[in-house]
């Protein structure tokens, strides 16, 4: 019992429950009789009503912000008094718990040695001429560096991401691993459920380390530098049409330094690479002409 209020309650308990006299109860508890008989002359009713009304309007404001709002209405009092009334009324702001994010697999990611082994994806943001936001979802194959998809829309939730991935799987088959960051869309339940049903490992990079997804970061830089910064989109349909044209050029025309200045589609062979001893032998293999052409 530290506060006078707690000692006062203890004295009342001894008086009513055990029949102690006031003098003896105060001696046992260590309470001054003058403090026990003290009746507060403060009137907190107007302050209490003001705080309740302000807290109903500003539900996320703490007692310090509410004190400023009350001062604007002409109520001037000590911040300690406002804090006391604030706690007595039970207006403490509840802390919002952070959403539990999906963990996925955190195992070290091996270098892909075959086509369709590891896919990686990420989002890029832009805007139309009118200011409306645009989002781009870029998906690439880490082995061939091929851009598998470049989806453009005003909103790309987790369900849309699953739809785009499912279309790719039906066309190319399932990858073994998909690499992404910890974005809200990519850690949603629908994405994890789809990956589990398809038997695909979803690898999340360490938060704050985009270099772990360097392939897609490189693709994002090219999308920004060679596509978004070169066009002024007036409509969503125009942005989608130009994105499809740019992706075709990226895969079939643009030379890639990581592929010995060949294009990703010219290196797509579907044959398993034989764990080359150096990047030179890897690039020579990737640059081989496609036998299906």
């Amino acid at each position: 019992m530290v506060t006078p209020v707690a000692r006062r309650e203890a004295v009342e308990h001894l008086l009513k429950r055990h029949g102690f006299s006031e003098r003896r109860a105060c001696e046992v508890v260590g309470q001054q009789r003058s403090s026990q008989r003290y009746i507060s002359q403060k009137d907190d009713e107007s302050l209490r009503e003001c705080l309740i009304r302000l807290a109903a309007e500003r539900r996320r404001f703490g007692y310090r912000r509410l004190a400023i709002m009350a001062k604007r209405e002409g109520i001037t009092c000590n911040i300690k008094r406002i804090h006391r009334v604030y706690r007595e009324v039970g207006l403490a702001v509840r802390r919002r718990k952070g959403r539990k994010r999906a963990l996925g697999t955190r195992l070290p990611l091996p270098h892909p040695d075959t086509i369709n082994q590891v896919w990686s994806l990420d989002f890029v943001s832009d805007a139309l001429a009118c200011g409306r936001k645009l989002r781009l979802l870029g998906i690439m194959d880490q082995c061939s560096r091929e851009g598998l998809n470049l989806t453009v829309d005003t909103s790309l939730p987790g369900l849309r991401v699953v739809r785009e991935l499912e279309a790719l799987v039906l066309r190319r088959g399932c990858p073994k691993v998909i690499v992404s960051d910890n974005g809200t869309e990519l850690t949603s339940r629908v994405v994890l459920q789809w990956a589990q049903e398809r038997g695909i490992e979803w690898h999340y990079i360490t938060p704050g380390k985009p270099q772990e997804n360097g392939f897609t970061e490189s693709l994002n830089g090219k999308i920004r530098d060679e596509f978004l910064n070169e066009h002024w989109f007036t409509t969503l349909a125009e942005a989608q049409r130009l994105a499809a044209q740019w992706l075709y050029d990226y895969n079939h025309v643009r030379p890639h330094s990581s592929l010995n200045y060949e294009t990703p589609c010219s290196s797509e062979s579907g044959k398993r690479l034989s764990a080359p001893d150096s990047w030179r032998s890897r690039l020579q293999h990737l640059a081989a002409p496609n036998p299906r052409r």
Side-chain angles (χ1 to χ4, degrees), residues 40-52:
S40 177
Q41 303 298 320
K42 296 179 180 179
D43 183 14
D44 296 330
E45 189 62 29
S46 59
L47 176 61
R48 185 178 291 106
E49 293 178 356
C50 179
L51 289 179
I52 292 175

Side-chain angles (χ1 to χ4, degrees), residues 119-125 135-142 149-152 156 161 164-165 178-186 202-205 209-221 223-224 228:
W119 293 355
S120 56
L121 52 88
D122 200 3
F123 292 97
V124 183
S125 298
R135 299 204 74 192
L136 293 85
L137 172 64
I139 308 174
M140 72 174 300
D141 189 302
Q142 288 193 3
N149 192 14
L150 185 58
T151 304
V152 183
L156 294 173
V161 173
E164 299 296 333
L165 289 172
I178 295 179
V179 185
S180 74
D181 58 16
N182 299 266
T184 306
E185 303 89 348
L186 305 178
W202 200 289
H203 180 90
Y204 293 106
I205 64 174
K209 292 187 177 181
Q211 63 271 20
E212 294 184 7
N213 195 11
F215 293 98
T216 304
E217 292 297 330
S218 176
L219 175 63
N220 290 348
I223 293 173
R224 176 71 61 187
L228 296 179

Side-chain angles (χ1 to χ4, degrees), residues 144-183:
S144 65
R145 310 296 197 276
E146 180 186 4
L148 306 179
N149 192 14
L150 185 58
T151 304
V152 183
D153 212 331
T154 55
S155 177
L156 294 173
L159 189 60
R160 178 67 181 279
V161 173
V162 167
R163 217 163 65 213
E164 299 296 333
L165 289 172
E166 182 66 20
L168 276 177
V169 167
L170 294 177
R171 190 168 72 246
R172 298 176 56 95
C174 288
K176 293 182 179 179
V177 182
I178 295 179
V179 185
S180 74
D181 58 16
N182 299 266

